[in-house]
Every structure is written in structure tokens, then in C-alpha cells.
């Protein structure tokens, strides 16, 4: 989601041409973009298959309903790599994707330019089949929704016309559920077991009805045996009977189609068939317009009856597969990108990849290592343009230090593409050319700025990647159609490296699962804090709101020494990280806090930590507890409330061993360290 301002209108000739094109193409006054909804998804998917198969790379972008479920879940500089992943996991699980941009790029050697095919898919997690989990729920972050509304995002189209989807896991579960439902609820009822249906026949009307149906089925079956033509001659009120019972053929067998009966009457008919007819079978099938059709079928033998039931079951399974495949919806696009194994290009896209996995593959794994291993199987070649921009010193200087947002990169590296106009400027002419094709219309002249639509952002991402490749020395003019861009030697050291967190520059390799790839030149970020040693960090929360970082530092330094604290960082107004200069100070601080809280004597009141512990709500723990709190699915607005919600798990970790506390108390009498002994015991 990046800002980009329109500059000039599209030419009148192109406007007239676009106005005659498919309605899925955006208005000619803006960037030519193919918008896809559920009504035209199938033909758009067929077209996309051709473009992806021919593409050299595919750029993607997502628009979501939010980023963080609580302020403290923002990416922080004090977040360790595994915590960074937990925060991304929380975001991907709680928010929805409303738009998915897919833009295949193909190098056209005859035109010496890339041909881009931008697609903007509206998607919505609609429940298409009841066999899946209960109706989807997701969060909306007001700032994100307001942002989308500001750029004229059409929520009505998304909700009413968005393409639904099932993940691979949901598809498997839906098929399993439908199969089990058929076997448990239908086959058990329809079989000709001698066991009675559990339905007491106590009413006189039920008794009369069952006797009547027994006579009708006997007459019909005997008529088949005598005449061989299946004609049914009813006694009594034949008009009513013939409206409810009609002879047809089902799978080459004579059958009675039942209609107009109540559900209770149908259960009584099942009872009659089971008790009195070994050569008749009661089956239920899906008729036209998904209406269920009830049949009584004549079989020749027990083997024939079993064969019939197998045929009915197989047909049911086929229909269930068709229904589930239709509900798979937009995931067919993800399967396409995975099967073609093209180079996938995103911008700062670790969260995008997490959303793709969560929505279309299955539940996110609990650790980053498991996640990247699974992702690499689906998408073996992923590249992040933000990584590329920060890996090249020339590009860094051109991008004016750290301004590597997508819109900034697009405006700086692709000015002639952003304008949609040809330029006589030599610097512009040296840029890699890009043309856009939507349906049968191809153009290099347009009015830029389909602002913050996923399809347009995907297009910008691909353009930035093309220009960045040129800066890295890749010569597209000598590029051969048989070449696989993902195997280009100049890109090899950048493939599959993504930022886990932009704020602290944690990098993860999707190929190996290794983190912090500092040897590849990605360490140009000037950190605000000294080197962070996570084992030296104590987490404190619930302290009096009047205390600020300066006050907390002063309290602790009086006990552990003026140089004992390296840095203090606020998560929010209710919690801080305190980084000590020695690891042992963490456990000593936690034990001292617990000791003071257990003693109500006068020394505790006069202790330097008394101000920090005032009110009795102050809690503290090591960094591992912070990780546990971040892994919780709940998201309270304030971190102190979140920590209290996690509760018992945290409390058990605060004092892991009473023996450790007692040992420390004994040792402190004779041990010389920076802790003031006068304040250790109360």
C-alpha cells in the first residue's frame, strides 16, 4: 500500500479503445488494470494461466484489513527473530485479505521491453459450503480501513462480488466431512439391514401409512416380475398415488421416484423397505438444482444391491468434489503460481507470504523454521525488492538513504513508467522499458495511479524489480527466452532472503531457515539502541503509570549500579524492556523483586525499588516470557492486560526454583558484585 499521485490523463485514442474493452478493465482515465470478481473469475483464471506460463517473473501485492491487533504487537527493535515471526503470524491469522494483485512480466525481445499483465482480484472469505469450519471471522484495523476508503476502495464489490476460497487444509477437511456425512447419515439409513429404524410406530395414521406403502411396493415389485415393464397400477386413490410415485430407471434398474412425502413419511418408507423387502433399496441422490431425490430401486440380488450402493456413493463423492472444487475459488491462482515455480517478486513481503500460507495452504506453523521450510516447498523462488534496494550501495544513495517504500522506489527508479509517457531524457531512456497489456489491448502510454489497488502495486513492484536487476548488471537485451531468471547468477545471493522485521533488519533465508544474514551487506541500518542481548533483558509491566523510563532506570541503578543498565525501551505506557549489562542481573532482579513483595516490613518500604513496586501490580519476567505472551492468540490493547490474560503460564515462570532464590540469598552475603547487599534482603 503505497502513495502515488497521477500526473497526466491518458490519450483520447487509448480512451476510446479502452471504453470498448471488457468491463473487467478499469476505466481508461486511469491505469489499464484487469479487475476480477467471482462473475468473471473462470475466464480470467484461464487467461492468467497462459500469462504465468510465459512469464519470466510474477509480481504480487496484497491489501489487508489490518496489520497489528494491538499496539505492542507492532514490529519493535527489541523483538528477537522468533518473536518477529510470532507477531507476523498473529497478523496473518487475524486479518483478512481483500485484494490480491498478480502481475506476470514477460520479456519481449522484439520490442525490447517487458510486457506486464496486471490483475486485481477482489477476494472475500465467504463460506460457500457448510462442510468447512464455522463462518469466517477477521479483525479490521480502523487505520487500514480508513486508508483503503481514502483511496476509493470499493468494499461493496469486495463483499458482494469477491472471490471466495478454501485453503488446501480446508479442501481436504471439506471432502472428508462430506464423505463421512454421506456414509454416516445416508448410507446407514438406506442400507437394507434387518435392524429396525429407531422410530416407533405408535400412531394409527403411521400404521395405516406403512401398511399402504407395503402393499404399493409389493404390487409394484410383483408387477415388474410379471410384466417386466414397470407399469404401476394402484388400487384406491390412484391419482394421488401416481403423483407421489413415478416409475423411472436409475442406473439401468427400475425405480420408484418418491415426491410429496413428509420427512416422517420418508422415514416410515425406509422402515417398510428394511423390514419387508430384500430386493428393494432406498437411496437418496442429488437431483437438478441440488434438490434431493428419494428413490426406491429394484435390485436383482444382494451383490447387485451392494453394487448399487457403491455406485450411489461414488456419484455422491464426484458431486462433492465438484462442489468443493468450485469453493476452492481464488486458491486456484495460488496453486498456479506454486506449480509453475516462477520467480515470485514482492516488496517487504514476509507478511504477504504469511497471509498466502495462512489463507490458502493451512494453519501457520508455530516457528519460523517450520514456516520457511513449508513455504519453500510451495514457492521455491521468492525475491524481495526492498532487500535488493538495501543490498546495493548505488541504489541506496539514489534512494536517499532509507526511503525504500514501494512508491518512493517506483517514483525514483521508474519515472518514465510512472508517467506513462516516453521521455527524451537520456537517464530515462536507459531504464528498462515496460508495456502493459490487458485483454487484447497493449499500451506504453497511460495515466498512472490506480492508487493502492493490489494489482497496481504488484505492477509497481515488478517495475522496480526490473530496474533493480538492470542496476545489478543483468542485461535483458541479451536475455534468452529459455533462461530462468531465478537462476541468474547475479540474483542468486538475493533469492529467498526476506526481512522478518524492517525495524531491526532481521533477515531470514527461506531456503535454509537461517536468520540474520549479516554477511550479505544488509547491515546499513543505523540502530537506535546498542547491540541487543536478549538474555540480558528483563520485561517489566504493570508499574505505576507515573513512572517513565528515566525513573525506572534510576530505581534499578541504585541497586545494581549506575552502569548496570544498557538501555530501556517502552513497549507501551504499561511495560518496558530493561537491558542489563550482565545476564546474571536479570535473575537477580527477578528474585529481588519477589523477595521484596513477600516481605511487608519497613525495609521493603524504604528500598529503592519500592517506587517501582508501588501498588502491588508490578510484574517482571525474562525475555522467554515475553515470547510466550506474544504467542498467545488473544490481543489486549495494553501489554499489561495481555500479560495478565496469559496469567498462570507466566506466573509459573517467574520463580522456577525456590532453591535458586535461597541459594542466591546465601551467596550474596559473601559475594562481591555490583548489587548493594543492603538492599537485597528485607
Amino acid at each position: 500500500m503505497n502513495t502515488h499521485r497521477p500526473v497526466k490523463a491518458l490519450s483520447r485514442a487509448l480512451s476510446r479503445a479502452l471504453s470498448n474493452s471488457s468491463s473487467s478493465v478499469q476505466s481508461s482515465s486511469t491505469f489499464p488494470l484487469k479487475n476480477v470478481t467471482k462473475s468473471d473469475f473462470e475466464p480470467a483464471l484461464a487467461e492468467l494461466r497462459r500469462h504465468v506460463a510465459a512469464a519470466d517473473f510474477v509480481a504480487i501485492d496484497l491489501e489487508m484489513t489490518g496489520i497489528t491487533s494491538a499496539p505492542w504487537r507492532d514490529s519493535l527493535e527489541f523483538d528477537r527473530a522468533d518473536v518477529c515471526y510470532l507477531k507476523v503470524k498473529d497478523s496473518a491469522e487475524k486479518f483478512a485479505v481483500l485484494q490480491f494483485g498478480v502481475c506476470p512480466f514477460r520479456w519481449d525481445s522484439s520490442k525490447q521491453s517487458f510486457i506486464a499483465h496486471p490483475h486485481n482480484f477482489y477476494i472475500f472469505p465467504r463460506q460457500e459450503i457448510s462442510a468447512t469450519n464455522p463462518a469466517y471471522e477477521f479483525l479490521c484495523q480502523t487505520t487500514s480501513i480508513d486508508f483503503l476508503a481514502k483511496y476509493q476502495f470499493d468494499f461493496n464489490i469486495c463483499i458482494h462480488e469477491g472471490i471466495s476460497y478454501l485453503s488446501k487444509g480446508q479442501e481436504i477437511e471439506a471432502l472428508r466431512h462430506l464423505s463421512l456425512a454421506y456414509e454416516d447419515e445416508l448410507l446407514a439409513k438406506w442400507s437394507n439391514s434387518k435392524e429396525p429404524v429407531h422410530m416407533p410406530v405408535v400412531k394409527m395414521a403411521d400404521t395405516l401409512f406403512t401398511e399402504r406403502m407395503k402393499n404399493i411396493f409389493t404390487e409394484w415389485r410383483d408387477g415388474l416380475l410379471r410384466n417386466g415393464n414397470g407399469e404401476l397400477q394402484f388400487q384406491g386413490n390412484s391419482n394421488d398415488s401416481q403423483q407421489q410415485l413415478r416409475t423411472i430407471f436409475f442406473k439401468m434398474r427400475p425405480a420408484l421416484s418418491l415426491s410429496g412425502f413428509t420427512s416422517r413419511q420418508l422415514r416410515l418408507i425406509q422402515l417398510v423397505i428394511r423390514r419387508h423387502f430384500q430386493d428393494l433399496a432406498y437411496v437418496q441422490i442429488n437431483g437438478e438444482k441440488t434438490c434431493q431425490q428419494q428413490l426406491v430401486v429394484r435390485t436383482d440380488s444382494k451383490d447387485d444391491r451392494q453394487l448399487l450402493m457403491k455406485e450411489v456413493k461414488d456419484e455422491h463423492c464426484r458431486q462433492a468434489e465438484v462442489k468443493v472444487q468450485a469453493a476452492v475459488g481464488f486458491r486456484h491462482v495460488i496453486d498456479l503460481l506454486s506449480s509453475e515455480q516462477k520467480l515470485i517478486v514482492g516488496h517487504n513481503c514476509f507478511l504477504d507470504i504469511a497471509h498466502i500460507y495462512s489463507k490458502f495452504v493451512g494453519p501457520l506453523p508455530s516457528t519460523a523454521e517450520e514456516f520457511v521450510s513449508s513455504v519453500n516447498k510451495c514457492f521455491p523462488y521468492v525475491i524481495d525488492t526492498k532487500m535488493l534496494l538495501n543490498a546495493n550501495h548505488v541504489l541506496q544513495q539514489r534512494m536517499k538513504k532509507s526511503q525504500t517504500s514501494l512508491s518512493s522506489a517506483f517514483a525514483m527508479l521508474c519515472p518514465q513508467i510512472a508517467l506513462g509517457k516516453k521521455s527524451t531524457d537520456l537517464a530515462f531512456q536507459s531504464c528498462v522499458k515496460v508495456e502493459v497489456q490487458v485483454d487484447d489491448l497493449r499500451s506504453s502510454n497511460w495515466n498512472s495511479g490506480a492508487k493502492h489497488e493490489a494489482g497496481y502495486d504488484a505492477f509497481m513492484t515488478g517495475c522496480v524489480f526490473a530496474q533493480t536487476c538492470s542496476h545489478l548488471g543483468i542485461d535483458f537485451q541479451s536475455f534468452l527466452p529459455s533462461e530462468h531468471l531465478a537462476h541468474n547468477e547475479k540474483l542468486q545471493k538475493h533469492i529467498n532472503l526476506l526481512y522478518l522485521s524492517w525495524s531491526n533488519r532481521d533477515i531470514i533465508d527461506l531456503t535454509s531457515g537461517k536468520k540474520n544474514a549479516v554477511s550479505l551487506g544488509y547491515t546499513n541500518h543505523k540502530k537506535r539502541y546498542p547491540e541487543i542481548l536478549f538474555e540480558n533483558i528483563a520485561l517489566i509491566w504493570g508499574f505505576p503509570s507515573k513512572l517513565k523510563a528515566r525513573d525506572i532506570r534510576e530505581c534499578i541503578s541504585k541497586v545494581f549500579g549506575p552502569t548496570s543498565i544498557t538501555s530501556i525501551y517502552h513497549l507501551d505506557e504499561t511495560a518496558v524492556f530493561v537491558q542489563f549489562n550482565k545476564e546474571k542481573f536479570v535473575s537477580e532482579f527477578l528474585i529481588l523483586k519477589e523477595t521484596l513483595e513477600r516481605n511487608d516490613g519497613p525495609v521493603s518500604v524504604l528500598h529503592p525499588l519500592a517506587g517501582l513496586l508501588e501498588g502491588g501490580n508490578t510484574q517482571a519476567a525474562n525475555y522467554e516470557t515475553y515470547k510466550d505472551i506474544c504467542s498467545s492468540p488473544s490481543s489486549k490493547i495494553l501489554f499489561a492486560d495481555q500479560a495478565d490474560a496469559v496469567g498462570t503460564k507466566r506466573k509459573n515462570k517467574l520463580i522456577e526454583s525456590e532453591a535458586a532464590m535461597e541459594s542466591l540469598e546465601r551467596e550474596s552475603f559473601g559475594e562481591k558484585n555490583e548489587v548493594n547487599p543492603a538492599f537485597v534482603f528485607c
Side-chain angles (χ1 to χ4, degrees):
M1 298 183 283
N2 299 274
T3 305
H4 186 71
R5 298 183 179 277
V7 182
K8 293 184 179 180
L10 194 61
S11 67
R12 293 183 180 179
L14 181 58
S15 177
R16 288 194 297 270
L18 283 174
S19 65
N20 295 325
S21 64
S22 168
S23 60
S24 64
V25 183
Q26 207 173 47
S27 169
S28 59
S29 63
T30 58
F31 179 80
L33 180 67
K34 188 175 185 66
N35 287 305
V36 185
T37 62
K38 64 180 181 180
S39 61
D40 56 357
F41 175 63
E42 290 300 330
L45 177 61
E47 180 186 43
L48 184 64
R49 291 187 190 279
R50 297 192 297 271
H51 294 319
V52 171
D56 295 298
F57 66 91
V58 181
I60 63 169
D61 185 83
L62 281 64
E63 296 292 342
M64 309 119 174
T65 61
I67 302 297
T68 54
S69 58
W72 58 270
R73 284 198 186 271
D74 280 335
S75 178
L76 306 176
E77 194 167 332
F78 272 68
D79 287 343
R80 199 169 59 192
D82 52 351
V83 173
C84 290
Y85 171 72
L86 291 175
K87 289 187 173 183
V88 170
K89 177 176 180 288
D90 177 80
S91 178
E93 289 174 339
K94 287 181 175 162
F95 295 100
V97 176
L98 300 182
Q99 269 188 349
F100 200 115
V102 180
C103 189
F105 281 74
R106 175 180 61 85
W107 178 254
D108 187 337
S109 57
S110 64
K111 289 289 189 76
Q112 290 294 289
S113 69
F114 274 105
I115 310 302
H117 303 273
H119 290 69
N120 193 51
F121 292 91
Y122 285 90
I123 65 177
F124 189 75
R126 192 179 299 102
Q127 189 177 32
E128 297 287 356
I129 54 178
S130 58
T132 55
N133 294 327
Y136 295 98
E137 294 181 356
F138 58 84
L139 296 182
C140 291
Q141 196 173 6
T142 55
T143 52
S144 295
I145 298 301
D146 184 59
F147 180 87
L148 292 174
K150 178 182 177 181
Y151 290 98
Q152 289 79 49
F153 184 91
D154 196 327
F155 292 97
N156 280 324
I157 288 181
C158 180
I159 295 172
H160 296 295
E161 296 296 325
I163 307 157
S164 57
Y165 54 84
L166 293 178
S167 69
K168 290 183 179 179
Q170 289 171 329
E171 178 189 6
I172 294 171
E173 177 61 22
L175 288 171
R176 187 188 71 83
H177 180 91
L178 290 173
S179 178
L180 287 178
Y182 180 87
E183 293 178 0
D184 295 342
E185 299 176 17
L186 303 179
L187 279 180
K189 292 180 180 179
W190 304 342
S191 66
N192 273 326
S193 170
K194 293 183 179 180
E195 298 177 4
V197 176
H198 296 293
M199 178 181 178
V201 181
V202 295
K203 297 180 181 179
M204 180 61 68
D206 290 345
T207 302
L208 294 175
F209 178 81
T210 54
E211 285 299 316
R212 174 171 171 266
M213 297 311 299
K214 176 183 174 183
N215 293 334
I216 289 175
F217 293 141
T218 300
E219 182 182 352
W220 176 73
R221 181 197 59 185
D222 293 346
L224 291 175
L225 296 175
R226 286 195 307 269
N227 306 324
N229 57 11
E231 289 295 329
L232 178 60
Q233 299 295 329
F234 290 112
Q235 295 179 353
N237 191 342
S238 61
N239 290 335
D240 292 342
S241 298
Q242 289 177 356
Q243 288 177 2
Q244 292 183 300
L245 300 163
R246 181 169 57 90
T247 300
I248 63 171
F249 277 90
F250 177 71
K251 296 189 177 297
M252 306 301 292
R253 300 173 180 88
L256 277 178
S257 175
L258 311 180
S259 61
F261 292 99
T262 66
S263 58
R264 181 175 182 83
Q265 288 174 332
L266 290 173
R267 290 197 296 272
L268 289 170
I269 290 175
Q270 295 175 48
L271 179 64
V272 170
I273 296 296
R274 286 191 180 187
R275 288 181 174 177
H276 303 289
F277 299 95
Q278 294 295 314
D279 54 353
L280 300 183
Y282 180 94
V283 298
Q284 180 175 309
I285 61 174
N286 291 325
E288 296 181 359
K289 298 181 180 180
T290 68
C291 294
Q292 290 186 332
Q293 185 178 7
Q294 323 292 329
L295 301 176
V296 174
V297 185
R298 166 74 163 82
T299 58
D300 293 331
S301 63
K302 181 178 180 180
D303 290 341
D304 186 41
R305 187 166 58 252
Q306 291 177 347
L307 177 61
L308 169 67
M309 303 311 291
K310 181 179 183 304
E311 291 173 348
V312 172
K313 180 181 178 181
D314 291 344
E315 180 64 26
H316 171 84
C317 290
R318 282 192 293 271
Q319 291 175 352
E321 288 176 3
V322 171
K323 188 175 182 179
V324 171
Q325 280 299 305
V328 165
F330 180 77
R331 205 203 76 221
H332 287 300
V333 174
I334 305 303
D335 292 344
L336 168 64
L337 298 180
S338 177
S339 63
E340 289 291 342
Q341 296 198 348
K342 299 291 182 176
L343 178 63
I344 303 298
V345 180
H347 186 83
N348 201 19
C349 60
F350 189 82
L351 178 58
D352 290 348
I353 298 297
H355 267 288
I356 291 172
Y357 193 98
S358 175
K359 304 300 185 292
F360 308 113
V361 179
L364 286 165
S366 58
T367 67
E369 291 77 10
E370 294 175 279
F371 170 68
V372 298
S373 175
S374 299
V375 165
N376 193 239
K377 295 175 183 177
C378 298
F379 305 105
Y381 310 107
V382 179
I383 201 160
D384 192 329
T385 52
K386 198 174 185 86
M387 292 289 301
L388 289 180
L389 293 173
N390 284 279
N392 185 283
H393 294 291
V394 175
L395 287 175
Q396 281 183 344
Q397 293 176 356
R398 186 170 178 182
M399 291 301 299
K400 299 178 181 179
K401 299 181 180 179
S402 62
Q403 295 180 7
T404 53
S405 68
L406 178 57
S407 57
S408 298
F410 185 62
M412 183 65 67
L413 298 179
C414 318
Q416 85 289 6
I417 302 175
L419 294 172
K421 295 287 186 180
K422 295 181 179 179
S423 175
T424 58
D425 191 308
L426 293 178
F428 285 5
Q429 290 179 357
S430 64
C431 294
V432 178
K433 296 179 181 178
V434 177
E435 296 185 5
V436 175
Q437 181 172 335
V438 177
D439 295 331
D440 296 327
L441 298 174
R442 183 163 162 176
S443 175
S444 59
N445 186 18
W446 54 77
N447 177 27
S448 62
K451 296 180 181 179
H452 300 286
E453 289 193 311
Y456 183 67
D457 285 358
F459 169 75
M460 289 198 297
T461 299
C463 291
V464 169
F465 173 68
Q467 309 308 320
T468 306
C469 286
S470 180
H471 282 280
L472 294 176
I474 297 176
D475 183 9
F476 289 113
Q477 293 185 358
S478 59
F479 193 68
L480 299 176
S482 59
E483 289 187 60
H484 198 313
L485 193 56
H487 298 156
N488 188 284
E489 60 179 9
K490 291 183 172 63
L491 288 177
Q492 282 305 294
K493 67 178 182 178
H494 307 292
I495 297 285
N496 289 335
L497 295 182
L498 302 182
Y499 280 117
L500 258 175
S501 168
W502 172 246
S503 62
N504 57 18
R505 300 305 200 267
D506 272 331
I507 296 169
I508 192 163
D509 188 337
L510 295 185
T511 305
S512 64
K514 294 181 179 178
K515 298 183 288 290
N516 295 321
V518 295
S519 62
L520 298 176
Y522 297 103
T523 57
N524 299 302
H525 176 51
K526 187 176 181 180
K527 287 181 175 279
R528 178 182 171 188
Y529 296 93
E531 181 183 3
I532 298 173
L533 301 174
F534 298 102
E535 63 273 14
N536 291 11
I537 290 178
L539 174 65
I540 308 174
W541 68 91
F543 46 80
S545 58
K546 64 183 179 181
L547 295 182
K548 305 304 178 188
R550 179 181 64 255
D551 304 316
I552 296 173
R553 178 189 288 269
E554 184 179 349
C555 287
I556 299 175
S557 296
K558 285 180 179 179
V559 180
F560 292 89
T563 62
S564 59
I565 295 179
T566 303
S567 57
I568 294 184
Y569 181 89
H570 269 280
L571 279 81
D572 60 16
E573 62 268 30
T574 70
V576 294
F577 288 122
V578 176
Q579 182 176 205
F580 291 95
N581 64 0
K582 292 185 179 180
E583 181 180 354
K584 68 175 183 177
F585 285 165
V586 175
S587 58
E588 290 175 358
F589 169 75
L590 296 178
I591 293 172
L592 175 58
K593 172 191 171 296
E594 292 297 320
T595 303
L596 291 172
E597 289 180 332
R598 291 184 180 191
N599 193 318
D600 296 329
V603 180
S604 297
V605 177
L606 298 175
H607 197 282
L609 292 184
L612 180 62
L613 304 180
E614 182 183 342
N617 296 320
T618 303
Q619 303 292 338
N622 59 19
Y623 197 88
E624 291 304 315
T625 300
Y626 173 60
K627 175 186 173 182
D628 291 341
I629 293 171
C630 288
S631 67
S632 170
S634 64
S635 284
K636 304 295 183 180
I637 298 300
L638 296 178
F639 182 83
D641 294 337
Q642 174 74 12
D644 290 341
V646 175
T648 55
K649 183 190 294 185
R650 167 184 52 75
K651 194 150 189 172
N652 289 335
K653 289 206 169 201
L654 292 180
I655 307 176
E656 295 182 355
S657 172
E658 290 288 340
M661 178 182 291
E662 295 173 359
S663 174
L664 180 64
E665 292 176 352
R666 289 193 301 269
E667 292 174 1
S668 64
F669 276 110
E671 181 181 348
K672 283 189 175 183
N673 53 41
E674 290 82 354
V675 181
N676 187 341
F679 295 126
V680 174
F681 309 108
C682 305

